[in-house]
Structures are given as structure tokens and as C-alpha cells.
Amino acid sequence: MLDHTVARWVKAHGGSAALAELAGWASVADGHGDSALPLRGEAAGRHGMPALEEGALAQLMADPMVTVVAAGSAEDTHAIAATPFVIDNGHFYLLRNHLHEGAVARHVSVRRAAAETGPAGSAADIDVLFQGDRSERVAAQRAAVAQVPGKRLFVLTGGPGTGKTTTVLRMLMLLLKRRAGSGAAPAIVRIGAPTGKAAQRLSESLRDGARLMRDGQTPLPGHWHPWLEGSLNAPASTLHRLLGSRGHAGGFVHHAGNPVPADIVIVDEASMVDLAMLRHLLEALREDATLILVGDADQLTSVGTGSVLLDLVGAMEAEADPGLVRLSHSFRADQSLLPLNESVRLGDIDAFERAVIDSGDQVQRVQIGSSQELDAALAGWARSLADGLRAAGVFSRLPRGAHGAPDQSVALAALDGLRDRQLLCALREGEFGAEAANRHLESSIRAASSDDALSVTRGEWYPGRVVMITRNDYTAGLFNGDVGICLEDAEGALGVWFVVTVAASAASAIDDDVPALATERSRLAVCFVPGSLPDHQGGFAITIHKSQGSEYREVAVLLPPDPDNRILSRQLLYTGISRARQTVQIWASDAVLRRAISTPARRSSGLRAKLDATKSS
């Protein structure tokens, strides 16, 4: 509908029929995440757009509603802003995307050029931060920590289990120590992520890493503890909240004229950041602030427009930029799934087949190409889910704790059990989508729950129901991506329980059984009345997109049955299977699986070319 509206707008404002059609296709491309439409080469005709003849292209370039940016010329922003469409380097743009790309490339260029040439992190400091470990397995981590001082932009990329979070912690500690040594005021650190859940996960992971550094076999010397504590005091939030989103009014409180009050800004899950958000973030940072982008460049790109982390990593790797470090060594205890993940990441089908064979029972192929096969697979998955929930006591009433309240430990155990297994779907809608799969599993779990004579069902709620929050609610302390489970208390009342992490002193005030330690954080299970929850959806089956940043003991990945489905890509499959720590099931036909592995997801964009041009100019 929007695409036709764009085409009609062009005609209503005097544009030609050819321009109206092309603008409509550009809107289609934008909806698929492309920032521009290629007009030449193999990629021309993307999304079904008819290829343009040379004469039609020449006529289009002469249209008064189009600005043509000459190759290698400096862009005249005012002239471009006077037209709604731009042709640049053989790509057709909606104006906003062209402006976003240009602004991102300029800000990145300035930040890369502003890197100070002073000394890197000293070898002595690096040795302390890595507890004397100089092995090859931490070589890339050591390089990242040593190279971050003086940078205005630093990118840390790597797959799951490669130690991104512990590297960030050490980077922060070194930056704080160096700043204190310079006599400057203590650094203000902010942590942001595309979702509240991702920001919360990074904050919790930093605390877990800090605990190991402080209390491990080779504890950090006491004089480093202030920098360790300082690294943990940074507030974490969504990027929208960090920038001060004005909601429906549009825009942000923080921008070039009112920058974010921070000296160091860390953005986790940067692969999920879209083109417009990266521009807003770059424009809202002080010129002297350090921006650290952290993420897996090989994961799925953002739901919005662009593939900014992938483009940025590609440009910086081509230049051997010391502001980029890629981590590749996995620190997971179970290494058996690594060859599988790597084969998909590289698109190597033969290596994938070998990895499946070598993994034994830890990788299972389930042939699914029909409704009947899907139903059978879901039935088996539901039985495993129900057995796990029953073993965790989810279908029984919660016992009372020492003070008469529901037992925290039982609720926490049930919530921890949700990380045991998860069904991930490529699609959200349709017969093979997450919504339909979740309905199937809900029906089975509800039936298993009703086998217990004490369990109750009230409308859609019953003991064992799993839900995922889909909208941040800062008042409730629930964030997009948080997962909760419905449990029945001793009186038969249903409540939905979530894990929250709070200061131990606050936890002690809530629960006398929790010791109050000023520098610690505690996990609590908090109960909500079902009707009080913010927007949510069923959590037994979620999309692969929704799973980014999470890990589970066992994962099943459901792909659509049509090998020609445009959603299939190696990034999609890689993101899904790499959520598993021990076991993965792949529900797909051979043809679908081969298509996914052999198809890289490529978004049409001019950002990489602009990044290359601004670096070389």
C-alpha cells in the first residue's frame, strides 16, 4: 500500500510515470531493508523491478525531481535536499536514505581520523587485566584492549562465546584507569543496545565477568578494584532511551546541539542497529567521546534499513584499521558445534555435511517439507517441553517460603529451565511461522498442565504458559524480549514470573533470605498479575530475529518449506543455530537447507562505497 502511495505522490507532484514506478520500487526495497535500488549490473531489477533501458535511465537522470551525484564529486547537501530522489554511484535513493548514508560515512570518517597516536595500553596493564595469560587464545582480546586507548570509534566483532563481553570489561577498566591518570574528571559511561533486553544482558554479563576477575583463581590486584567498580556503574538502556526519544512526537532530546552527556558509549548487539539509528547516535555524541560498537557482523542485520555493522566491518577490515578487532576463538566448554556454525557462516555446504556427521547426536536433521511432518515434529518437541516443565515442578503449586511468600528458589529454577530448549522459526506468520507453532505447543502444554488435578486454567492463562514481552515498560521493569512463565501459588492464584537483577541491598529489603552486599547484584523472581503485563506474545516458539543475543542449551530451527522463499540466507541459519550451546535440531528439507547455506543475505546499499571514499579522500 505504501509503495503505491509513493508512486501516486510522485505523479501528483508532476513526476513522470517512469519516475513514479521507480519510486514505488524504491519504497519496496526500503521495506526489505535496502537503502537504495541498484540501476546497473547484476543486482539491477532487484525485488522484481523491470530493468531500465539506457534511454529510460538517461531520461530519469534528467528529471527535475532527481539529483544526480557525480562520481567523485563533493555532495551539495542543500541541492540534494531540494529533490526527493537521488541517483548516486548507479543507485536510486529515497532522499532520507541518501542523507543517512552520507551523514554516517562522514561521522565515521571523522572519528577514525581523530584517533590519537599516543601509546597503546601498556604491556604491564594488559598482563594484569588478563591475569598473566599471554596464550594465543586471548591474543585478539589483548589486541583489542591494547588498541582501544585514543580511539573515537572502536568496533569489536565476533561470534557467540568468543569473549566479547569480558573484552569490553577490560577495555573499560583500562580506559577509566588512563583517564584517572591524566587528571581528568571521572569518565561518564553509558551502555546502549537496540532492545532493553540486550542492554540488560550486557550489564549482567559485565557483572558476571567482574565477579570472576575479582574472586577467581588469579584475582585482580586491589588497586584495580575502583576501575572494576566504575565499569559496572554505567546505566544500561535502549538506544532510544539513551538518545531521549520523544515518542510519537518524533526526534530525540539529544542531538548535535545537545549531545549525550557521556565520555564513553558502548553499544551491544550492533548488528541490530539500522542506518537511521546509527546516524542519530553518531550525531548525538560529543566529538571527544569514545564509541565502542560490539556485535556479530555475521548475524542477521537489522529489521530496519541497512546492514551498517557489516558494512563498517568490511570497510575497516579492508583498511586493516586498528580500530577493529575480530574475535574468533571460542571459550565455550563444549566445542562440538563450532565447526557447524563456522561452515554455515562461510557458506560451505561440504563442510556443513562433515560437521553434522562429526557432531554425533548433538546435531539432528529433521526432514520437514509438509504439514504432516511439521505436526509430528511439533508433537515430539511439545512432549520434551512438557517433560522438562513437569520435572521443574511447573505444573504443581508453588510452595511457600520462610515468610509465607511463594518460594523464590522454585520460581527461579522454573525460569532458568526456560533456557534449556527453544524453538526458533524463520517466519513469524503462516503455517510454518512462530505464531502457528506457538499455538500448537500452547495447546499441548495446556493439556499437560491440566493433567494435574490442582492446576487451573483461566482464559488463556494456565500453569506452564511461557510469554515474551514485546514492549518496554520501565515502570514495571520489563523489557522487550524478557521471558516469563505462569505459575500457580499455594492458594491457586496464577501469576507470571520474571527474573530481575537488582542491587543486593534492594534484594535484601524485598526478601530477608537475600544477603545485602553493597557491591553485588542478586537475581530475583518477580511475580505479575497476568492482566497487568505490557504487550506480550507466546514464548514457546519465537522468530530467529527475536532470539538474537540469547543462548539455549538446545535449539530447534524451523525453516520454511519452499526453497525459493526470499527469507532464506546463511545469516539467518547461522543466527539460529549459533544460539545453541550443546544441541541443535534443524527442521528443513535438504533443498531448503542447501539454499539457505549457499545464499548470502545482501542488502543493497551505497554505505560501504561511501565509507571507502571518505577514508581515501
Side-chain angles (χ1 to χ4, degrees):
M1 182 64 70
L2 176 61
D3 315 323
H4 294 289
T5 301
V6 170
R8 288 195 298 269
W9 182 91
V10 172
K11 290 182 180 179
H13 287 76
S16 67
L19 177 60
E21 182 180 8
L22 187 58
W25 281 111
S27 177
V28 170
D30 181 72
H32 283 86
D34 293 344
S35 59
L37 267 178
L39 299 177
R40 302 188 183 94
E42 294 181 1
R46 193 167 171 84
H47 306 296
M49 181 191 80
L52 291 177
E53 301 290 341
E54 286 297 323
L57 179 57
Q59 187 176 14
L60 180 71
M61 295 172 71
D63 195 293
M65 296 182 74
V66 177
T67 294
V68 179
V69 178
S73 67
E75 297 177 12
D76 184 341
T77 303
H78 297 290
I80 291 175
T83 66
F85 308 106
V86 180
I87 294 179
D88 183 0
N89 195 29
H91 287 75
F92 181 84
Y93 286 86
L94 302 176
L95 173 63
R96 68 171 184 275
N97 287 339
H98 191 268
L99 294 178
H100 289 335
E101 281 192 356
V104 167
R106 289 192 296 274
H107 282 291
V108 166
S109 176
V110 169
R111 288 191 167 274
R112 292 173 71 186
E116 298 171 9
T117 56
S122 71
D125 282 346
I126 304 302
D127 276 342
V128 170
L129 289 170
F130 283 87
Q131 286 97 356
D133 189 351
R134 294 190 176 188
S135 66
E136 184 62 28
R137 66 179 195 147
V138 297
Q141 291 188 346
R142 289 177 64 103
V145 178
Q147 290 164 200
V148 72
K151 300 293 190 298
R152 293 293 173 261
L153 173 66
F154 195 91
V155 179
L156 182 69
T157 187
T162 54
K164 295 190 292 294
T165 302
T166 54
T167 304
V168 167
L169 177 60
R170 291 172 169 123
M171 292 163 74
L172 259 180
M173 292 172 63
L174 182 63
L175 290 174
L176 294 179
K177 180 177 182 292
R178 285 171 61 92
R179 184 178 176 92
S182 70
I188 300 173
V189 183
R190 295 293 303 271
I191 295 173
T195 67
K197 184 63 175 176
Q200 184 184 44
R201 274 195 298 261
L202 177 60
S203 185
E204 292 173 357
S205 296
L206 287 173
R207 294 188 180 281
D208 291 341
R211 192 174 297 110
L212 289 174
M213 293 186 71
R214 188 191 59 200
D215 303 327
Q217 292 182 344
T218 310
L220 200 67
H223 68 274
W224 276 87
H225 285 193
W227 322 129
L228 183 64
E229 295 297 328
S231 301
L232 304 180
N233 290 332
S237 68
T238 64
L239 291 178
H240 280 84
R241 193 172 178 87
L242 173 68
L243 297 179
S245 172
R246 291 195 175 100
H248 295 301
F252 298 94
V253 171
H254 294 296
H255 46 73
N258 180 33
V260 174
D263 303 294
I264 302 169
V265 175
I266 301 168
V267 176
D268 196 24
E269 296 295 340
S271 64
M272 299 167 64
V273 178
D274 63 27
L275 180 63
M277 177 52 72
L278 183 59
R279 177 189 180 178
H280 292 310
L281 176 64
L282 289 168
E283 290 182 340
L285 296 183
R286 297 200 319 258
E287 290 182 1
D288 62 343
T290 296
L291 173 62
I292 300 174
L293 299 177
V294 185
D296 186 349
D298 295 306
Q299 278 190 179
L300 281 168
T301 51
S302 67
V303 176
T305 302
S307 50
V308 292
L309 182 64
L310 184 63
D311 292 338
L312 187 54
V313 167
M316 296 178 77
E317 279 187 329
E319 297 280 345
D321 191 320
L324 167 75
V325 169
R326 182 187 286 273
L327 304 179
S328 57
H329 178 83
S330 176
F331 291 86
R332 284 179 171 173
D334 191 339
Q335 304 276 311
S336 57
L337 295 182
L338 296 183
L340 183 82
N341 295 345
E342 186 67 3
S343 68
V344 174
R345 187 182 76 83
L346 298 175
D348 190 331
I349 295 176
D350 292 337
F352 172 84
E353 297 292 354
R354 290 194 299 272
V356 171
I357 294 172
D358 293 344
S359 66
D361 293 336
Q362 289 183 269
V363 179
Q364 300 175 31
R365 293 278 308 278
V366 181
Q367 294 286 336
I368 291 183
S370 67
S371 302
Q372 293 77 12
E373 290 170 335
L374 175 60
D375 288 345
L378 288 171
W381 188 258
R383 285 192 294 272
S384 296
L385 278 177
D387 290 343
L389 293 172
R390 185 175 291 107
V394 169
F395 299 149
S396 303
R397 290 184 172 178
L398 279 175
R400 290 188 177 92
H403 304 285
D407 192 325
Q408 280 274 322
S409 63
V410 175
L412 283 171
L415 288 161
D416 289 341
L418 297 182
R419 294 197 294 269
D420 272 354
R421 55 180 58 85
Q422 182 66 57
L423 175 60
L424 306 179
C425 305
L427 302 174
R428 181 171 64 89
E429 300 174 336
E431 184 181 6
F432 280 70
E435 293 177 352
N438 193 75
R439 286 194 296 270
H440 189 294
L441 296 174
E442 286 248 16
S443 176
S444 297
I445 302 303
R446 181 193 293 268
S449 175
S450 66
D451 289 342
D452 188 324
L454 295 177
S455 67
V456 296
T457 299
R458 294 179 186 142
E460 62 182 347
W461 295 100
Y462 55 90
R465 186 183 184 211
V466 175
V467 295
M468 174 179 281
I469 300 299
T470 58
R471 178 179 58 81
N472 296 334
D473 187 329
Y474 287 91
T475 302
L478 296 176
F479 301 97
N480 183 9
D482 280 344
V483 177
I485 187 167
C486 184
L487 300 173
E488 186 179 4
D489 67 16
E491 283 72 40
L494 293 177
V496 189
W497 292 78
F498 293 83
V499 173
V500 297
T501 304
V502 298
S505 55
S508 180
I510 297 170
D511 188 339
D512 292 340
D513 293 330
V514 178
L517 300 174
T519 58
E520 294 292 345
R521 306 286 284 184
S522 292
R523 297 170 68 248
L524 289 178
V526 178
C527 183
F528 293 83
V529 175
S532 69
L533 293 180
D535 294 347
H536 57 275
Q537 64 184 37
F540 287 122
I542 63 176
T543 63
I544 295 174
H545 265 105
K546 278 284 188 181
S547 74
Q548 291 186 84
S550 298
E551 290 186 346
Y552 310 91
R553 181 182 61 81
E554 180 179 8
V555 160
V557 178
L558 172 61
L559 300 181
D562 179 11
D564 294 324
N565 193 301
R566 296 178 59 175
I567 201 171
L568 293 173
S569 71
R570 70 180 61 147
Q571 285 89 342
L572 177 83
L573 182 58
Y574 168 80
T575 303
I577 64 174
S578 61
R579 301 309 94 200
R581 294 192 307 271
Q582 294 182 15
T583 307
V584 62
Q585 298 182 24
I586 304 175
W587 297 4
S589 68
D590 291 339
V592 165
L593 196 52
R594 285 183 168 271
R595 173 59 64 90
I597 295 172
S598 62
T599 306
R602 292 193 179 98
R603 287 189 167 178
S604 180
S605 162
L607 179 59
R608 171 65 190 276
K610 289 180 175 64
L611 291 169
D612 291 341
T614 54
K615 179 62 178 178
S616 60
S617 60

